[in-house]
Amino acid sequence: MAIVSPSILSADFGNLHSDIQSVQTADWLHVDVMDGRFVPNITIGPLVVKAARRSWAKVLDVHLMIVEPDRYIQDFRDAGADIITVHAEACTHLHRSIQAIHASGAQAGVSLNPHTSEHVLDYVLDQLDLVLIMSVNPGFGGQSMIEAVLPKIEKIRRRIDAKGLKTLIEVDGGVKVNNAHQFINAGAHALVSGSGIFKAENRTNVISQLQAL
């Protein structure tokens, strides 16, 4: 079964509690944090994460699309993040960033943009709880998937399995019911979906279809 993590980037922030309640059958809740520097948009800070935490009792999956993420790791952990994912492209000292996440008490993830080689993970893979593969260029919701990331997922999954690691692979970007099987077949364990879930007429049904993959 796939782990499903609805992204509140596509939720109605005027009715955030209600929207989070509507996806309670999902496994995780995904929070996209954008700073207007690493990506064009500005979205969510620790206060919104704290508000989401009050409405969500399961895993809170926080994705930092920001520069200098080390400065804010403890703030997001204190706000309730269970998983904190940083971008390899934003970290000057990636290993140190991973250590800081673990020191905060959270699980550590590293995200790769579509153009970034999986070899960035060569010396840190055994330190990770999660690898997040971007299947769109980060910064905007509602984009179409970039199919070129599928071989990257396959390569990372083979390396995880060969090393006997428990590291999970998550995919974020353009995930819909009609294409999610491609990510799972390539080796992903977890699916982030924003508009694919929150814009659906029956969110529970979409979540169950994704989980069944």
Side-chain angles (χ1 to χ4, degrees), residues 74-108:
Q74 193 62 54
D75 291 336
F76 283 102
R77 174 58 178 164
D78 292 344
D82 296 301
I83 302 170
I84 298 176
T85 298
V86 296
H87 269 262
E89 303 87 356
C91 295
T92 304
H93 305 288
L94 183 56
H95 188 270
R96 182 180 296 165
S97 300
I98 295 165
Q99 288 179 312
I101 296 170
H102 282 144
S104 78
Q107 291 188 301

mmCIF file of all heavy atoms in Angstrom, residues 74-108:
data_model
loop_
_atom_site.group_PDB
_atom_site.id
_atom_site.type_symbol
_atom_site.label_atom_id
_atom_site.label_comp_id
_atom_site.label_asym_id
_atom_site.label_seq_id
_atom_site.Cartn_x
_atom_site.Cartn_y
_atom_site.Cartn_z
ATOM 1 N N GLN A 74 14.707 23.835 14.011
ATOM 2 C CA GLN A 74 14.132 23.694 15.354
ATOM 3 C C GLN A 74 12.773 24.369 15.455
ATOM 4 O O GLN A 74 11.868 23.873 16.141
ATOM 5 C CB GLN A 74 15.081 24.269 16.408
ATOM 6 C CG GLN A 74 14.699 23.884 17.848
ATOM 7 C CD GLN A 74 14.744 22.371 18.072
ATOM 8 O OE1 GLN A 74 15.750 21.731 17.812
ATOM 9 N NE2 GLN A 74 13.643 21.806 18.563
ATOM 10 N N ASP A 75 12.582 25.488 14.757
ATOM 11 C CA ASP A 75 11.284 26.174 14.781
ATOM 12 C C ASP A 75 10.183 25.283 14.223
ATOM 13 O O ASP A 75 9.075 25.222 14.786
ATOM 14 C CB ASP A 75 11.344 27.461 13.957
ATOM 15 C CG ASP A 75 12.218 28.523 14.592
ATOM 16 O OD1 ASP A 75 12.413 28.481 15.824
ATOM 17 O OD2 ASP A 75 12.719 29.390 13.849
ATOM 18 N N PHE A 76 10.472 24.585 13.124
ATOM 19 C CA PHE A 76 9.452 23.723 12.536
ATOM 20 C C PHE A 76 9.248 22.461 13.369
ATOM 21 O O PHE A 76 8.122 21.959 13.460
ATOM 22 C CB PHE A 76 9.798 23.398 11.080
ATOM 23 C CG PHE A 76 9.497 24.521 10.145
ATOM 24 C CD1 PHE A 76 10.503 25.354 9.673
ATOM 25 C CD2 PHE A 76 8.196 24.780 9.755
ATOM 26 C CE1 PHE A 76 10.218 26.412 8.821
ATOM 27 C CE2 PHE A 76 7.893 25.836 8.901
ATOM 28 C CZ PHE A 76 8.915 26.659 8.433
ATOM 29 N N ARG A 77 10.292 21.962 13.977
ATOM 30 C CA ARG A 77 10.131 20.826 14.886
ATOM 31 C C ARG A 77 9.268 21.231 16.078
ATOM 32 O O ARG A 77 8.345 20.511 16.469
ATOM 33 C CB ARG A 77 11.503 20.328 15.355
ATOM 34 C CG ARG A 77 11.432 19.246 16.418
ATOM 35 C CD ARG A 77 10.665 18.033 15.953
ATOM 36 N NE ARG A 77 10.659 16.993 16.963
ATOM 37 C CZ ARG A 77 9.832 15.954 16.982
ATOM 38 N NH1 ARG A 77 8.915 15.800 16.034
ATOM 39 N NH2 ARG A 77 9.897 15.044 17.938
ATOM 40 N N ASP A 78 9.535 22.398 16.644
ATOM 41 C CA ASP A 78 8.746 22.874 17.784
ATOM 42 C C ASP A 78 7.294 23.112 17.395
ATOM 43 O O ASP A 78 6.391 22.996 18.239
ATOM 44 C CB ASP A 78 9.347 24.165 18.335
ATOM 45 C CG ASP A 78 10.701 23.962 19.004
ATOM 46 O OD1 ASP A 78 11.055 22.805 19.321
ATOM 47 O OD2 ASP A 78 11.411 24.966 19.212
ATOM 48 N N ALA A 79 7.058 23.436 16.124
ATOM 49 C CA ALA A 79 5.689 23.656 15.649
ATOM 50 C C ALA A 79 4.930 22.352 15.438
ATOM 51 O O ALA A 79 3.705 22.378 15.272
ATOM 52 C CB ALA A 79 5.710 24.453 14.348
ATOM 53 N N GLY A 80 5.658 21.216 15.434
ATOM 54 C CA GLY A 80 4.977 19.928 15.339
ATOM 55 C C GLY A 80 5.379 19.031 14.201
ATOM 56 O O GLY A 80 4.772 17.980 13.993
ATOM 57 N N ALA A 81 6.418 19.403 13.445
ATOM 58 C CA ALA A 81 6.846 18.564 12.319
ATOM 59 C C ALA A 81 7.415 17.236 12.800
ATOM 60 O O ALA A 81 8.245 17.200 13.704
ATOM 61 C CB ALA A 81 7.899 19.301 11.492
ATOM 62 N N ASP A 82 6.977 16.145 12.187
ATOM 63 C CA ASP A 82 7.530 14.809 12.465
ATOM 64 C C ASP A 82 8.655 14.471 11.492
ATOM 65 O O ASP A 82 9.640 13.832 11.870
ATOM 66 C CB ASP A 82 6.432 13.746 12.352
ATOM 67 C CG ASP A 82 5.355 13.925 13.397
ATOM 68 O OD1 ASP A 82 5.683 13.893 14.598
ATOM 69 O OD2 ASP A 82 4.182 14.126 13.008
ATOM 70 N N ILE A 83 8.485 14.861 10.232
ATOM 71 C CA ILE A 83 9.514 14.704 9.200
ATOM 72 C C ILE A 83 9.866 16.091 8.704
ATOM 73 O O ILE A 83 8.972 16.899 8.401
ATOM 74 C CB ILE A 83 9.011 13.849 8.016
ATOM 75 C CG1 ILE A 83 8.552 12.469 8.474
ATOM 76 C CG2 ILE A 83 10.101 13.725 6.947
ATOM 77 C CD1 ILE A 83 7.832 11.674 7.376
ATOM 78 N N ILE A 84 11.148 16.396 8.624
ATOM 79 C CA ILE A 84 11.594 17.662 8.054
ATOM 80 C C ILE A 84 12.508 17.340 6.881
ATOM 81 O O ILE A 84 13.521 16.659 7.037
ATOM 82 C CB ILE A 84 12.330 18.532 9.083
ATOM 83 C CG1 ILE A 84 11.387 18.907 10.244
ATOM 84 C CG2 ILE A 84 12.887 19.800 8.414
ATOM 85 C CD1 ILE A 84 12.057 19.693 11.356
ATOM 86 N N THR A 85 12.114 17.830 5.707
ATOM 87 C CA THR A 85 12.869 17.576 4.484
ATOM 88 C C THR A 85 13.477 18.869 3.974
ATOM 89 O O THR A 85 12.772 19.882 3.844
ATOM 90 C CB THR A 85 11.955 16.963 3.406
ATOM 91 O OG1 THR A 85 11.469 15.704 3.879
ATOM 92 C CG2 THR A 85 12.700 16.756 2.103
ATOM 93 N N VAL A 86 14.764 18.829 3.707
ATOM 94 C CA VAL A 86 15.471 19.981 3.145
ATOM 95 C C VAL A 86 15.904 19.646 1.720
ATOM 96 O O VAL A 86 16.003 18.471 1.349
ATOM 97 C CB VAL A 86 16.705 20.356 3.995
ATOM 98 C CG1 VAL A 86 16.278 20.814 5.379
ATOM 99 C CG2 VAL A 86 17.695 19.189 4.093
ATOM 100 N N HIS A 87 16.189 20.676 0.936
ATOM 101 C CA HIS A 87 16.657 20.466 -0.432
ATOM 102 C C HIS A 87 18.166 20.370 -0.464
ATOM 103 O O HIS A 87 18.869 21.221 0.105
ATOM 104 C CB HIS A 87 16.182 21.593 -1.347
ATOM 105 C CG HIS A 87 14.877 21.303 -1.990
ATOM 106 N ND1 HIS A 87 14.771 20.808 -3.273
ATOM 107 C CD2 HIS A 87 13.615 21.383 -1.514
ATOM 108 C CE1 HIS A 87 13.492 20.626 -3.575
ATOM 109 N NE2 HIS A 87 12.771 20.972 -2.520
ATOM 110 N N ALA A 88 18.666 19.365 -1.160
ATOM 111 C CA ALA A 88 20.115 19.237 -1.324
ATOM 112 C C ALA A 88 20.689 20.495 -1.956
ATOM 113 O O ALA A 88 21.798 20.932 -1.605
ATOM 114 C CB ALA A 88 20.435 18.015 -2.190
ATOM 115 N N GLU A 89 19.936 21.099 -2.871
ATOM 116 C CA GLU A 89 20.418 22.277 -3.586
ATOM 117 C C GLU A 89 20.542 23.509 -2.674
ATOM 118 O O GLU A 89 21.238 24.467 -3.010
ATOM 119 C CB GLU A 89 19.476 22.616 -4.750
ATOM 120 C CG GLU A 89 19.270 21.495 -5.742
ATOM 121 C CD GLU A 89 18.148 20.537 -5.355
ATOM 122 O OE1 GLU A 89 17.563 20.690 -4.249
ATOM 123 O OE2 GLU A 89 17.860 19.634 -6.159
ATOM 124 N N ALA A 90 19.856 23.489 -1.532
ATOM 125 C CA ALA A 90 19.840 24.648 -0.625
ATOM 126 C C ALA A 90 20.809 24.506 0.543
ATOM 127 O O ALA A 90 20.957 25.446 1.324
ATOM 128 C CB ALA A 90 18.423 24.859 -0.086
ATOM 129 N N CYS A 91 21.468 23.351 0.663
ATOM 130 C CA CYS A 91 22.309 23.075 1.837
ATOM 131 C C CYS A 91 23.789 23.128 1.462
ATOM 132 O O CYS A 91 24.252 22.333 0.632
ATOM 133 C CB CYS A 91 21.979 21.704 2.425
ATOM 134 S SG CYS A 91 20.311 21.602 3.087
ATOM 135 N N THR A 92 24.507 24.033 2.098
ATOM 136 C CA THR A 92 25.950 24.108 1.872
ATOM 137 C C THR A 92 26.649 22.891 2.455
ATOM 138 O O THR A 92 27.575 22.343 1.859
ATOM 139 C CB THR A 92 26.514 25.390 2.514
ATOM 140 O OG1 THR A 92 25.815 26.519 1.982
ATOM 141 C CG2 THR A 92 28.006 25.532 2.235
ATOM 142 N N HIS A 93 26.186 22.459 3.628
ATOM 143 C CA HIS A 93 26.749 21.290 4.303
ATOM 144 C C HIS A 93 25.600 20.318 4.574
ATOM 145 O O HIS A 93 24.987 20.337 5.649
ATOM 146 C CB HIS A 93 27.435 21.705 5.605
ATOM 147 C CG HIS A 93 28.473 22.761 5.426
ATOM 148 N ND1 HIS A 93 29.682 22.514 4.825
ATOM 149 C CD2 HIS A 93 28.466 24.079 5.744
ATOM 150 C CE1 HIS A 93 30.393 23.633 4.795
ATOM 151 N NE2 HIS A 93 29.676 24.593 5.346
ATOM 152 N N LEU A 94 25.308 19.480 3.592
ATOM 153 C CA LEU A 94 24.112 18.636 3.653
ATOM 154 C C LEU A 94 24.146 17.693 4.839
ATOM 155 O O LEU A 94 23.136 17.507 5.529
ATOM 156 C CB LEU A 94 23.959 17.866 2.341
ATOM 157 C CG LEU A 94 22.714 16.994 2.206
ATOM 158 C CD1 LEU A 94 21.441 17.802 2.414
ATOM 159 C CD2 LEU A 94 22.697 16.303 0.839
ATOM 160 N N HIS A 95 25.301 17.073 5.092
ATOM 161 C CA HIS A 95 25.389 16.131 6.203
ATOM 162 C C HIS A 95 25.081 16.831 7.523
ATOM 163 O O HIS A 95 24.399 16.290 8.400
ATOM 164 C CB HIS A 95 26.780 15.498 6.247
ATOM 165 C CG HIS A 95 26.912 14.387 7.231
ATOM 166 N ND1 HIS A 95 27.291 14.596 8.539
ATOM 167 C CD2 HIS A 95 26.693 13.056 7.119
ATOM 168 C CE1 HIS A 95 27.317 13.449 9.179
ATOM 169 N NE2 HIS A 95 26.961 12.496 8.340
ATOM 170 N N ARG A 96 25.577 18.054 7.676
ATOM 171 C CA ARG A 96 25.311 18.817 8.904
ATOM 172 C C ARG A 96 23.826 19.139 9.043
ATOM 173 O O ARG A 96 23.277 19.086 10.146
ATOM 174 C CB ARG A 96 26.133 20.113 8.896
ATOM 175 C CG ARG A 96 25.984 20.957 10.144
ATOM 176 C CD ARG A 96 26.830 22.216 10.045
ATOM 177 N NE ARG A 96 28.251 21.878 9.982
ATOM 178 C CZ ARG A 96 29.192 22.748 9.608
ATOM 179 N NH1 ARG A 96 28.861 23.976 9.234
ATOM 180 N NH2 ARG A 96 30.461 22.382 9.597
ATOM 181 N N SER A 97 23.170 19.443 7.943
ATOM 182 C CA SER A 97 21.733 19.723 7.986
ATOM 183 C C SER A 97 20.952 18.497 8.425
ATOM 184 O O SER A 97 20.009 18.595 9.226
ATOM 185 C CB SER A 97 21.244 20.190 6.609
ATOM 186 O OG SER A 97 21.911 21.362 6.205
ATOM 187 N N ILE A 98 21.339 17.332 7.911
ATOM 188 C CA ILE A 98 20.677 16.081 8.307
ATOM 189 C C ILE A 98 20.880 15.823 9.795
ATOM 190 O O ILE A 98 19.948 15.439 10.519
ATOM 191 C CB ILE A 98 21.220 14.912 7.458
ATOM 192 C CG1 ILE A 98 20.845 15.102 5.983
ATOM 193 C CG2 ILE A 98 20.692 13.574 7.971
ATOM 194 C CD1 ILE A 98 21.638 14.218 5.037
ATOM 195 N N GLN A 99 22.091 16.048 10.274
ATOM 196 C CA GLN A 99 22.368 15.878 11.704
ATOM 197 C C GLN A 99 21.508 16.823 12.540
ATOM 198 O O GLN A 99 21.008 16.439 13.602
ATOM 199 C CB GLN A 99 23.847 16.136 11.985
ATOM 200 C CG GLN A 99 24.783 15.037 11.487
ATOM 201 C CD GLN A 99 26.234 15.368 11.787
ATOM 202 O OE1 GLN A 99 26.706 16.471 11.527
ATOM 203 N NE2 GLN A 99 26.948 14.404 12.347
ATOM 204 N N ALA A 100 21.343 18.053 12.074
ATOM 205 C CA ALA A 100 20.538 19.027 12.817
ATOM 206 C C ALA A 100 19.076 18.601 12.896
ATOM 207 O O ALA A 100 18.422 18.790 13.937
ATOM 208 C CB ALA A 100 20.652 20.405 12.158
ATOM 209 N N ILE A 101 18.566 18.019 11.812
ATOM 210 C CA ILE A 101 17.176 17.540 11.842
ATOM 211 C C ILE A 101 17.035 16.419 12.865
ATOM 212 O O ILE A 101 16.104 16.419 13.684
ATOM 213 C CB ILE A 101 16.731 17.074 10.448
ATOM 214 C CG1 ILE A 101 16.723 18.241 9.466
ATOM 215 C CG2 ILE A 101 15.338 16.434 10.512
ATOM 216 C CD1 ILE A 101 16.524 17.834 8.017
ATOM 217 N N HIS A 102 17.934 15.450 12.824
ATOM 218 C CA HIS A 102 17.867 14.354 13.791
ATOM 219 C C HIS A 102 18.039 14.863 15.221
ATOM 220 O O HIS A 102 17.359 14.389 16.145
ATOM 221 C CB HIS A 102 18.929 13.304 13.464
ATOM 222 C CG HIS A 102 18.555 12.408 12.324
ATOM 223 N ND1 HIS A 102 19.464 11.940 11.407
ATOM 224 C CD2 HIS A 102 17.360 11.894 11.937
ATOM 225 C CE1 HIS A 102 18.842 11.169 10.526
ATOM 226 N NE2 HIS A 102 17.571 11.132 10.828
ATOM 227 N N ALA A 103 18.921 15.838 15.416
ATOM 228 C CA ALA A 103 19.129 16.393 16.760
ATOM 229 C C ALA A 103 17.875 17.080 17.284
ATOM 230 O O ALA A 103 17.640 17.124 18.502
ATOM 231 C CB ALA A 103 20.299 17.369 16.739
ATOM 232 N N SER A 104 17.047 17.589 16.377
ATOM 233 C CA SER A 104 15.803 18.247 16.791
ATOM 234 C C SER A 104 14.752 17.245 17.255
ATOM 235 O O SER A 104 13.770 17.622 17.892
ATOM 236 C CB SER A 104 15.235 19.079 15.637
ATOM 237 O OG SER A 104 14.571 18.263 14.676
ATOM 238 N N GLY A 105 14.949 15.975 16.892
ATOM 239 C CA GLY A 105 13.987 14.936 17.233
ATOM 240 C C GLY A 105 13.092 14.518 16.088
ATOM 241 O O GLY A 105 12.239 13.643 16.240
ATOM 242 N N ALA A 106 13.284 15.144 14.923
ATOM 243 C CA ALA A 106 12.476 14.804 13.746
ATOM 244 C C ALA A 106 13.186 13.775 12.882
ATOM 245 O O ALA A 106 14.397 13.557 13.000
ATOM 246 C CB ALA A 106 12.196 16.056 12.926
ATOM 247 N N GLN A 107 12.434 13.144 11.996
ATOM 248 C CA GLN A 107 13.027 12.305 10.963
ATOM 249 C C GLN A 107 13.536 13.206 9.849
ATOM 250 O O GLN A 107 12.965 14.276 9.590
ATOM 251 C CB GLN A 107 12.008 11.306 10.423
ATOM 252 C CG GLN A 107 11.612 10.233 11.429
ATOM 253 C CD GLN A 107 10.746 9.169 10.789
ATOM 254 O OE1 GLN A 107 9.678 9.453 10.255
ATOM 255 N NE2 GLN A 107 11.201 7.927 10.829
ATOM 256 N N ALA A 108 14.604 12.762 9.177
ATOM 257 C CA ALA A 108 15.282 13.618 8.205
ATOM 258 C C ALA A 108 15.037 13.165 6.785
ATOM 259 O O ALA A 108 15.206 11.989 6.447
ATOM 260 C CB ALA A 108 16.781 13.650 8.481
#
